[in-house]
Amino acid sequence: MTTRALWCRPGDFGLTRENADDFVAQAAGAGFNLLLPEVKGCEGLRWPSERRPWAVERPFDSFDLCEAVVDSCRRRGVECHAWFFDFFEGESSPVMLRHPEWAMRDARGRPTNEEQLRGERFTGLWACPAQRPGYTDQWLVPIHAELVERYGFEGVHHDYVRYPGDLAPDQYCFCDWCLEELPRWAGYLNEAYPDEPFDHELYDREYLEAHWEQSPRVLPAGWDRLNRAEKSRFLLEGSFFRYGRADLDTFFYQFRKEAVRRFVREVKEAVDAVRPGVRVSAAVFKNPVHSGRFIGQDWREFVPWVDTMIPMDYRDHFPGTFEHYLGLLEEAVRRQQGWAEGCERLLAGFAIWPLVRGSEDEGARRERFVETLRLLKRTNPAGYCIFCASDLTKWGLWDAIE
Ligand SMILES: [Zn+2]
């Protein structure tokens, strides 16, 4: 069976049960059989949580959006996954106001809302995926479990399951906890003999790096006296061996990947403990080899805990012309089918907004949308996922799906 999925913003459903039902009816009528309503954006929870009432975004303290959507989807035979913004928060979100210590920090100790992006201050506040106890285990995993306990969603949906991307990919995280934990995790010193350098007694091999297996002390002498910026620089740009290759970034990236992967595993375990068999889908970047290095998202490693992988094959994630896009898109989807082997289904995600331009006539816009959809139907019979419902409305494309 082909899955035809749609990312939906809360505004799509309106603020009454009747409006929500009308929207689900429209989507089902257009052929969609999986809806992904956004239940946690960057401003709090969109359900009237009794356990965390301080974190509920208005007006979802009085209108139970999730109940209305789940009920309507169930009656119409439409699968429904609750869409979470995982590590991306707003700077005035209730959880970050309450726990500013959970934010990622750069080498100067600054959170992400002190960055500039395209000439303007960035107002998002990314949370550290690695810190324990922290945002991941004290907040993000428990709210997934709470939602599944409360509502009959068939699945939960990961988004922003990563480190920041368009924003300084190599600068995070150097929070106090990561600065302590990364060297311990990577074995940069031997805890039984913390002051021993343990240089190799022979250095008798052709290459310096060939002497790695005895695990010398990697941290330089005087480590404890270095400031945050100096420590951060060493952890990102330093060498395993004095005078060796600058290779410590390998461990930095590995540490980040493990933090994200551990979170994905823990969500699956937590929701399964509430209701066995709950599904998990994830919006991921188009090439896991690249996103593993840049944003800690090597989604090939998510496969045991994600059954529906949805790479975001958006027009703006590819270079060149629209014609180039079609060629690159087909190639990307074929590679993704290999990377997602072991998942129950791979859905090719694409976005309307980078495909259409307001300056063009309606025919040209529709043609590009239809051509993309046609290519995906041919290349990936398992299905597709469209971002997003309100853009189908904005550009008059609901009837272009079939
Ligand atoms: Zn951190």
Side-chain angles (χ1 to χ4, degrees), residues 208-209 237-248 250:
L208 177 61
E209 279 79 9
E237 298 176 26
S239 307
F240 192 85
F241 289 99
R242 269 171 298 152
Y243 320 118
R245 295 182 57 243
D247 53 3
L248 290 194
T250 304

Side-chain angles (χ1 to χ4, degrees), residues 2-6 30-35 377 382-385 401-402:
T2 300
T3 302
R4 295 174 295 272
L6 184 63
F32 290 102
N33 52 15
L34 168 59
L35 297 186
K377 284 181 175 177
Y384 56 83
C385 187
I401 302 204
E402 287 310 319

Side-chain angles (χ1 to χ4, degrees), residues 16 19 68 76 87-88 150 159 161 167 174 179 187 198 227-229 239 242 248 251 267 302 314 361 399:
T16 64
N19 288 346
R76 294 171 194 285
F87 293 103
F88 185 50
R150 190 175 170 123
D159 194 7
V161 55
L167 188 77
F174 297 111
L179 274 188
F198 285 127
N227 66 32
R228 180 195 298 268
S239 307
R242 269 171 298 152
L248 290 194
F251 303 96
V267 164
F302 297 174
Y314 297 178
D361 68 82
D399 63 336

Side-chain angles (χ1 to χ4, degrees), residues 157-210:
H157 178 66
H158 292 299
D159 194 7
Y160 299 95
V161 55
R162 58 182 176 88
Y163 283 73
D166 49 3
L167 188 77
D170 293 327
Q171 310 304 319
Y172 302 91
C173 176
F174 297 111
C175 71
D176 292 347
W177 192 86
C178 286
L179 274 188
E180 281 284 316
E181 177 63 10
L182 199 164
R184 194 202 65 77
W185 166 86
Y188 287 167
L189 78 174
N190 294 281
E191 282 166 8
Y193 305 99
D195 299 323
E196 280 289 338
F198 285 127
D199 288 331
H200 201 283
E201 59 270 31
L202 295 172
Y203 288 109
D204 56 345
R205 300 167 183 176
E206 187 80 7
Y207 303 101
L208 177 61
E209 279 79 9

Side-chain angles (χ1 to χ4, degrees), residues 121-142:
R121 189 176 70 81
F122 183 76
T123 55
L125 203 51
W126 281 83
C128 176
Q131 196 184 115
R132 302 281 173 130
Y135 181 88
T136 305
D137 63 334
Q138 302 297 302
W139 165 255
L140 198 49
V141 174

Side-chain angles (χ1 to χ4, degrees), residues 6-112:
L6 184 63
W7 278 291
C8 309
R9 288 275 161 73
D12 300 327
F13 297 95
L15 290 175
T16 64
R17 290 186 74 95
E18 292 71 32
N19 288 346
D21 193 48
D22 288 345
F23 174 78
V24 173
Q26 181 185 13
F32 290 102
N33 52 15
L34 168 59
L35 297 186
L36 306 161
E38 188 190 300
V39 305
K40 183 239 172 243
C42 19
E43 300 302 334
L45 308 178
R46 296 199 178 115
W47 70 87
S49 170
E50 282 136 24
R51 247 174 278 169
R52 300 171 180 84
W54 52 271
V56 177
E57 181 182 338
R58 283 189 192 166
F60 305 105
D61 49 346
S62 52
F63 171 53
D64 198 334
L65 172 77
C66 292
E67 175 61 31
V69 174
V70 166
D71 178 54
S72 182
C73 283
R74 186 182 295 137
R75 281 188 286 108
R76 294 171 194 285
V78 173
E79 186 180 345
C80 191
H81 291 199
W83 169 14
F84 284 78
F85 285 23
D86 287 340
F87 293 103
F88 185 50
E89 286 282 349
E91 62 186 346
S92 48
S93 79
V95 65
M96 297 316 274
L97 288 176
R98 197 173 262 226
H99 289 286
E101 75 280 12
W102 289 350
M104 288 183 186
R105 303 275 163 174
D106 71 6
R108 304 269 167 200
R110 293 172 299 207
T112 53

